[in-house]
Amino acid sequence: MKYAFYPGCVSRGGTPELYTSTIAIAGKLGIELEEIIGASCTGAGVLQEKGLKLGDTLNARTFAMAERLGLTTILNICSTCQGVMAQANQRLLADADYLAEINKELEPEGLEYTGRVVIKHLAWVIVEEVGLDALKALVTNPLPGLKAAPFYGCYILRPSSALGLDQNPGREQYLERIIEACGAEPVNFPGRLKCCGFPIMLINERNSMKMVADHTISAKEHGADCMVTPCPLCHLNLDGQQPNAAAKAGRKIGVPILHLPQLIGLAMGFSAKELGMHQHIVSTKTIIEKASVRV
Amino acid sequence: MQANLRVRRFDPEAPEPSARMQDYQIEVPEHFTVLDALIQVREEDDPSLALRCSCRASICGSCAMRVNGQARLACKTRLTAVAPEGETVIIEPMGNQRVVKDLVVDLALFWNKIRAVEPYLQPAGPEPEDEYIASNESMLNLLTPMGCIMCGACVSDCTALEVDENFLGPAALAKAYRFIADPRDGASRERLTTLNEYGGVWDCTRCYMCVEVCPTGVAPMDRIMELRDSVMREIGTTTPGARHIESFARSVARSGWLDETMLAVDSWGRFNLPKLISQAPLGIRALMRGKLPKPWPLHHKRPGAEFVGRIFKRWESNKP
Ligand code: SF4
Ligand code: SF4
Ligand code: FES
């Protein structure tokens, strides 16, 4: 299965381990990735605050580039990119005049978006196209005894109208299904669907840190050894800011935050190094030991 | 069919008041809503169960409560929709507000926030002889916020309010938008100045929770994003939130993608030395793990970045 791969800015910047671990597991899963070279940032909801049309034009350009590669499914590894693209696609497909207007902006580059692109997150591709049974068959190093709290965050589930949750209600539970397929145990906790605080990290640090502390502490108190996230922005906050959040909350936290492909990679027996586990801010040592993989 | 309800109970007059869950199993017709079922419980099984409702037709906004963890109007939620296989339905009072008894919350917080945005028209200039005239088109974008039935569902589930009671919250900000966008209102600038402060538009996390739970399609977050744009036009880029958007746009327009390091520096303020120094340990931690993205001018351009730049320029010049 071949996909137009959109790694997003953050997996090429602040969370390189997400990129590394995705490439590592994709090969085993039979997911062939062709990166959309030259694609721009999706706007991440921020440029959309300036104007929806600006963001929609940038995303239509990326969709047109995927079509030019002869591919129709864009595979995302960032929930935020995924959600922003899905909403842009929804607006572009709902109004032919709007799409035509936007296509005019793409003309100088010789691009045209014809409306055939489908936007999917890696988690959706794994469950819906690779299949959980196929994933289980690839699990050579199951992770019994590892308690993983899935942290969905916002953009992979909301707004549900843009994310096909009506047709695919199971998407609300995919992280749990994947954690189980890896032989680990999903942990339910109150922060599961909430905001990680990243979007206001640079704006209202106090509130953002409180969100990090609340979610990581509650995951820990519900027995989690680690949290698993489908979004590198959640990772930047929950992992990168955890020491700050702990200092502000006046207590130790120390909850490792895994990117989804890292968890899968551990269950496939990749070494910690191959999955970039040493690049985290919060030490992942306990998880590497529990998974008994090579360092 | 059988309905299995698990209701959070709280009796403030109990000797030691504390919340507890109570199960009810009742026989109900298939078309029943969560509210129908709760009313049946109260009438036939347990008259002590407290809940609030009036119209039973999703008009009055009285019956918002959490069903399976999400705020909804109980009268608009069919049992078969939330428990297709007859699963147990968890029913709790709204969040972010003080529980008075069982499913009834104190709406003081909700109304105080609505009051804080002065939800009435403040026309400028002398009164016209007859009525204020506004064109049809200029009122069209008020239809969404005017659909608000003041149910409080968005306030219940707002993730920013959960950590900071000072935040005005989704319902009040959507209400503020309703007056700022009204062509007859003369106080827009003052209103926007207030909303530019702590507790206003910049404290929203963009989590979409309010969009998801609002039963009438007000989509408060989308209104908040429009307010941010208005604030930036009318008041300028005076806050970290506004600088954040400008820096973001600058880096994407220049290189095609995000310059994360510059984004942080610009949002705090390039000359905000105390802040920059306080964040140094984080920068060093990231650097040591090989994950501090290279800032401008080392931030490289993506292929075709000039076309991205052109899209920005054209968009700027076509702006109304
Ligand atoms: S989008 Fe903003 S206003 Fe709406 S629930 Fe989230 S934080 Fe609150
Ligand atoms: S905006 Fe929607 S959810 Fe919020 S109070 Fe109004 S009707 Fe209820
Ligand atoms: S009872 Fe009036 S809205 Fe539900």
Side-chain angles (χ1 to χ4, degrees):
Chain A
M1 285 170 290
K2 193 167 172 182
Y3 297 89
F5 178 39
Y6 184 84
C9 303
V10 177
S11 86
R12 309 316 310 272
T15 62
E17 70 282 1
L18 170 61
Y19 190 86
T20 326
S21 55
T22 300
I23 302 296
I25 67 160
K28 286 217 173 174
L29 290 166
I31 294 177
E32 198 184 326
L33 298 174
E34 179 154 0
E35 195 164 324
I36 315 173
I37 304 290
S40 75
C41 169
T42 62
V46 178
L47 293 181
Q48 281 72 9
E49 292 176 33
K50 273 177 98 67
L52 284 179
K53 196 173 171 195
L54 172 64
D56 289 347
T57 312
L58 295 176
N59 287 305
R61 177 175 173 271
T62 303
F63 302 162
M65 289 174 141
E67 285 185 346
R68 192 164 62 182
L69 296 173
L71 299 168
T72 47
T73 303
I74 295 186
L75 185 146
N76 281 287
I77 49 175
C78 166
S79 303
T80 305
C81 298
Q82 143 81 26
V84 170
M85 279 191 179
Q87 290 179 53
N89 208 21
Q90 195 182 36
R91 283 189 292 270
L92 293 166
L93 299 185
D95 183 346
D97 293 337
Y98 184 56
L99 177 60
E101 223 176 274
I102 286 194
N103 268 325
K104 276 227 164 59
E105 301 296 317
L106 307 182
E107 252 171 33
E109 205 175 351
L111 287 168
E112 189 193 355
Y113 178 44
T114 65
R116 281 175 300 140
V117 159
V118 178
I119 318 291
K120 287 202 169 188
H121 189 279
L122 173 68
W124 299 0
V125 167
I126 290 177
V127 177
E128 292 163 11
E129 296 178 26
V130 175
L132 288 168
D133 288 332
L135 172 61
K136 277 183 206 150
L138 292 164
V139 169
T140 52
N141 179 42
L143 309 166
L146 181 72
K147 293 188 172 166
F151 184 80
Y152 283 81
C154 306
Y155 283 66
I156 201 167
L157 293 177
R158 294 186 294 274
S160 57
S161 56
L163 296 165
L165 292 187
D166 288 348
Q167 302 90 300
N168 298 287
R171 286 180 177 172
E172 289 179 25
Q173 298 276 335
Y174 280 2
L175 294 183
E176 280 84 347
R177 297 293 86 79
I178 293 175
I179 291 170
E180 286 161 359
C182 292
E185 186 190 323
V187 174
N188 196 2
F189 73 112
R192 184 175 162 267
L193 307 178
K194 290 184 183 164
C195 174
C196 68
F198 180 79
I200 52 167
M201 166 52 208
L202 299 169
I203 298 168
N204 186 330
E205 191 182 334
R206 194 193 72 95
N207 289 359
S208 181
M209 286 307 99
K210 184 140 196 317
M211 289 178 183
V212 173
D214 285 356
H215 304 328
T216 48
I217 291 170
S218 104
K220 193 172 178 173
E221 287 176 352
H222 282 76
D225 300 311
C226 64
M227 290 164 80
V228 177
T229 172
C231 180
L233 303 184
C234 295
H235 195 275
L236 280 178
N237 228 33
L238 297 175
D239 175 62
Q241 298 291 346
Q242 204 183 111
N244 279 351
K248 291 230 162 77
R251 56 179 287 180
K252 278 212 174 82
I253 304 179
V255 176
I257 314 292
L258 303 193
H259 299 283
L260 181 66
Q262 287 181 318
L263 176 85
I264 298 171
L266 290 174
M268 287 178 167
F270 282 100
S271 73
K273 182 128 198 279
E274 287 167 309
L275 301 170
M277 302 278 289
H278 57 290
Q279 285 188 294
H280 291 217
I281 299 296
V282 177
S283 166
T284 54
K285 201 163 152 249
T286 51
I287 306 302
I288 297 171
E289 280 166 12
K290 273 214 161 157
S292 47
V293 291
R294 279 169 295 124
V295 182
Chain B
M1 67 176 198
Q2 183 177 300
N4 300 301
L5 312 179
R6 181 166 297 159
V7 182
R8 183 178 284 271
R9 305 290 312 268
F10 173 76
D11 178 5
E13 285 164 359
E16 279 172 47
S18 71
R20 65 191 164 89
M21 301 305 282
Q22 184 165 351
D23 288 348
Y24 300 99
Q25 272 165 3
I26 53 171
E27 217 30 64
V28 297
E30 198 118 320
H31 66 264
F32 254 34
T33 63
V34 171
L35 183 62
D36 294 330
L38 289 170
I39 291 175
Q40 180 175 320
V41 166
R42 190 178 62 182
E43 284 176 359
E44 294 176 10
D45 304 294
D46 187 348
S48 74
L49 179 65
L51 57 108
R52 202 185 255 138
C53 66
S54 176
C55 72
R56 306 188 191 187
S58 49
I59 297 167
C60 72
S62 312
C63 67
M65 55 186 75
R66 276 191 175 153
V67 179
N68 288 344
Q70 182 180 315
R72 298 165 182 269
L73 294 181
C75 72
K76 204 188 174 193
T77 308
R78 282 194 199 283
L79 282 168
T80 46
V82 285
E85 314 282 337
E87 300 92 332
T88 299
V89 183
I90 315 242
I91 303 168
E92 298 162 294
M94 283 196 280
N96 288 338
Q97 291 151 100
R98 187 180 66 86
V99 178
V100 178
K101 182 167 193 255
D102 299 338
L103 301 171
V104 177
V105 300
D106 180 357
L107 288 164
L109 177 127
F110 179 87
W111 289 111
N112 287 340
K113 303 221 173 271
I114 297 280
R115 255 180 239 120
V117 302
E118 304 185 349
Y120 38 83
L121 213 54
Q122 300 177 27
E127 263 180 52
E129 261 174 42
D130 302 314
E131 65 273 0
Y132 286 97
I133 312 271
S135 73
N136 209 16
E137 300 76 58
S138 66
M139 297 293 280
L140 281 179
N141 59 343
L142 301 190
L143 289 177
T144 16
M146 274 153 71
C148 175
I149 56 172
M150 309 280 190
C151 67
C154 57
V155 164
S156 157
D157 287 13
C158 173
T159 60
L161 255 179
E162 189 179 59
V163 296
D164 189 355
E165 235 187 56
N166 188 55
F167 179 44
L168 276 170
L173 286 168
K175 190 57 77 190
Y177 171 89
R178 185 251 166 273
F179 288 98
I180 288 166
D182 190 316
R184 300 164 300 173
D185 193 77
S188 298
R189 213 188 141 79
E190 293 72 37
R191 294 180 192 272
L192 287 170
T193 307
T194 318
L195 299 186
N196 197 30
E197 288 162 9
Y198 163 52
V201 292
W202 300 109
D203 287 343
C204 163
T205 66
R206 278 196 277 115
C207 73
Y208 278 105
M209 207 61 107
C210 52
V211 177
E212 197 64 34
V213 302
C214 174
T216 63
V218 172
M221 183 194 124
D222 293 344
R223 310 286 82 77
I224 297 171
M225 295 309 117
E226 291 180 71
L227 286 173
R228 285 186 181 178
D229 190 45
S230 308
V231 163
M232 288 176 65
R233 282 171 204 228
E234 291 276 328
I235 318 284
T237 44
T238 55
T239 55
R243 285 198 296 270
H244 181 255
I245 298 177
E246 287 307 312
S247 171
F248 200 114
R250 212 166 27 242
S251 81
V252 178
R254 187 193 292 137
S255 67
W257 64 306
L258 185 59
D259 181 342
E260 294 168 74
T261 309
M262 266 330 268
L263 182 68
V265 173
D266 282 339
S267 304
W268 294 319
R270 286 196 189 180
F271 304 103
N272 185 350
L273 277 183
K275 185 73 200 183
L276 295 177
I277 292 168
S278 77
Q279 294 300 316
L282 180 71
I284 293 167
R285 273 200 297 267
L287 192 66
M288 281 171 36
R289 287 165 180 82
K291 57 195 302 183
L292 185 71
K294 290 194 198 83
W296 178 85
L298 300 175
H299 179 78
H300 71 262
K301 282 190 182 177
R302 287 266 165 93
E306 64 280 12
F307 290 106
V308 175
R310 184 182 173 278
I311 290 173
F312 272 84
K313 275 211 195 85
R314 298 247 321 148
W315 178 80
E316 283 289 345
S317 61
N318 289 336
K319 249 195 330 200

Coordinates of all heavy atoms in Angstrom, one line a residue, chain A residues 12 22 28 30 64 69 89 101 118 125 136 151 165 170 186 191 197 212 242 256 259 261 283 294:
Chain A
R12 N 9.9 17.0 11.6 CA 11.2 17.4 11.0 C 11.9 18.5 11.9 O 12.9 19.0 11.4 CB 11.0 18.0 9.6 CG 10.1 17.1 8.7 CD 10.5 15.7 8.7 NE 11.9 15.3 8.5 CZ 12.5 15.1 7.4 NH1 11.9 15.2 6.3 NH2 13.7 14.7 7.4
T22 N 8.4 6.3 12.8 CA 7.4 6.0 11.7 C 8.0 5.3 10.6 O 7.5 4.3 10.1 CB 6.8 7.4 11.2 OG1 6.2 8.1 12.3 CG2 5.8 7.1 10.1
K28 N 7.8 -2.5 8.0 CA 7.3 -3.8 8.4 C 5.8 -4.0 8.2 O 5.3 -5.1 8.0 CB 7.6 -4.0 9.9 CG 9.0 -4.3 10.2 CD 9.1 -5.2 11.4 CE 10.6 -5.6 11.5 NZ 10.8 -6.5 12.7
G30 N 4.2 -2.9 5.8 CA 3.9 -2.9 4.3 C 3.3 -1.5 3.9 O 2.5 -1.5 2.9
A64 N -3.0 18.9 -4.1 CA -2.7 18.8 -5.6 C -1.3 18.1 -5.8 O -1.2 17.4 -6.7 CB -2.7 20.2 -6.2
L69 N 1.5 13.1 -7.6 CA 2.3 11.9 -7.3 C 1.5 10.6 -7.7 O 2.0 9.5 -7.6 CB 2.7 11.7 -5.9 CG 3.6 12.8 -5.3 CD1 3.8 12.6 -3.8 CD2 5.0 12.7 -6.0
N89 N -10.2 20.1 3.5 CA -10.7 19.3 2.4 C -12.3 19.3 2.4 O -12.9 19.4 1.4 CB -10.3 17.8 2.6 CG -10.2 17.1 1.3 OD1 -10.1 17.7 0.2 ND2 -10.2 15.8 1.4
E101 N -11.8 28.9 -7.4 CA -11.2 30.1 -7.0 C -9.8 29.8 -6.4 O -8.8 30.5 -6.7 CB -12.0 30.8 -5.9 CG -12.2 32.2 -5.9 CD -13.2 32.6 -4.8 OE1 -14.4 32.5 -4.9 OE2 -12.6 32.9 -3.7
V118 N -8.0 11.8 0.1 CA -8.5 11.3 1.4 C -7.4 11.5 2.5 O -6.3 11.2 2.2 CB -8.9 9.8 1.4 CG1 -9.5 9.4 2.7 CG2 -10.0 9.6 0.3
V125 N -4.9 4.3 9.3 CA -4.4 3.4 8.2 C -4.1 2.1 8.9 O -4.4 1.0 8.3 CB -3.1 4.1 7.6 CG1 -2.4 3.0 6.7 CG2 -3.5 5.3 6.8
K136 N -1.0 -7.6 14.8 CA -0.7 -8.6 15.8 C 0.4 -9.6 15.3 O 1.2 -10.0 16.1 CB -1.9 -9.3 16.3 CG -2.7 -8.6 17.3 CD -4.0 -9.3 17.8 CE -5.0 -8.4 18.2 NZ -6.4 -8.9 18.0
F151 N -3.6 9.1 25.1 CA -3.9 10.5 25.2 C -4.3 11.0 23.7 O -3.4 11.2 22.9 CB -2.8 11.3 25.7 CG -3.1 12.8 25.9 CD1 -3.8 13.2 27.1 CD2 -2.8 13.8 25.0 CE1 -4.2 14.5 27.3 CE2 -3.2 15.1 25.2 CZ -3.9 15.5 26.3
L165 N -16.3 10.5 12.0 CA -16.5 9.7 13.1 C -17.9 9.0 13.0 O -18.2 8.0 13.6 CB -16.4 10.4 14.4 CG -14.9 10.8 14.8 CD1 -14.9 11.4 16.1 CD2 -14.0 9.7 14.6
G170 N -15.7 3.7 15.5 CA -14.6 3.0 16.2 C -13.3 3.9 16.3 O -12.5 3.6 17.2
P186 N -4.3 -0.9 27.9 CA -4.7 0.5 27.9 C -5.3 0.9 29.3 O -6.0 0.1 30.0 CB -5.8 0.5 26.9 CG -6.2 -0.9 26.5 CD -5.2 -1.8 27.1
G191 N -8.1 12.5 31.6 CA -7.6 13.5 30.6 C -7.6 13.0 29.2 O -7.2 13.7 28.3
G197 N -2.6 21.5 26.1 CA -2.2 22.8 26.5 C -1.1 23.4 25.6 O -0.8 24.6 25.7
V212 N -0.6 20.2 31.5 CA 0.4 19.1 31.5 C 0.4 18.4 32.8 O 0.4 17.1 32.9 CB 1.8 19.7 31.2 CG1 2.8 18.6 31.3 CG2 1.8 20.3 29.8
Q242 N 7.2 18.7 30.7 CA 6.9 18.0 32.0 C 7.7 18.4 33.2 O 7.2 18.6 34.3 CB 6.9 16.5 31.8 CG 6.0 15.7 32.7 CD 6.2 14.2 32.5 OE1 6.7 13.6 33.4 NE2 5.6 13.7 31.5
P256 N 6.9 8.9 31.2 CA 7.3 8.9 29.8 C 6.2 9.0 28.8 O 5.1 8.4 29.0 CB 8.0 7.5 29.6 CG 8.2 7.0 31.0 CD 7.2 7.6 31.9
H259 N 5.4 8.3 21.4 CA 4.7 8.5 20.1 C 4.1 7.2 19.8 O 4.7 6.1 20.0 CB 5.6 9.0 19.0 CG 6.3 10.3 19.3 ND1 5.7 11.5 19.1 CD2 7.6 10.5 19.7 CE1 6.5 12.4 19.4 NE2 7.7 11.9 19.8
P261 N 4.0 5.4 17.0 CA 4.8 4.4 16.3 C 6.0 3.9 17.2 O 6.5 2.8 16.9 CB 5.4 5.2 15.1 CG 5.0 6.7 15.3 CD 3.9 6.7 16.3
S283 N 12.9 10.7 30.8 CA 13.6 9.5 30.5 C 12.6 8.3 30.2 O 11.6 8.1 30.9 CB 14.4 9.0 31.7 OG 14.8 7.7 31.6
R294 N 16.6 -4.0 23.0 CA 18.0 -3.5 23.0 C 18.0 -2.0 23.2 O 17.1 -1.3 22.7 CB 18.7 -3.8 21.7 CG 19.2 -5.3 21.6 CD 19.7 -5.6 20.2 NE 18.5 -5.6 19.3 CZ 18.4 -4.8 18.2 NH1 19.4 -4.0 17.9 NH2 17.4 -4.9 17.4

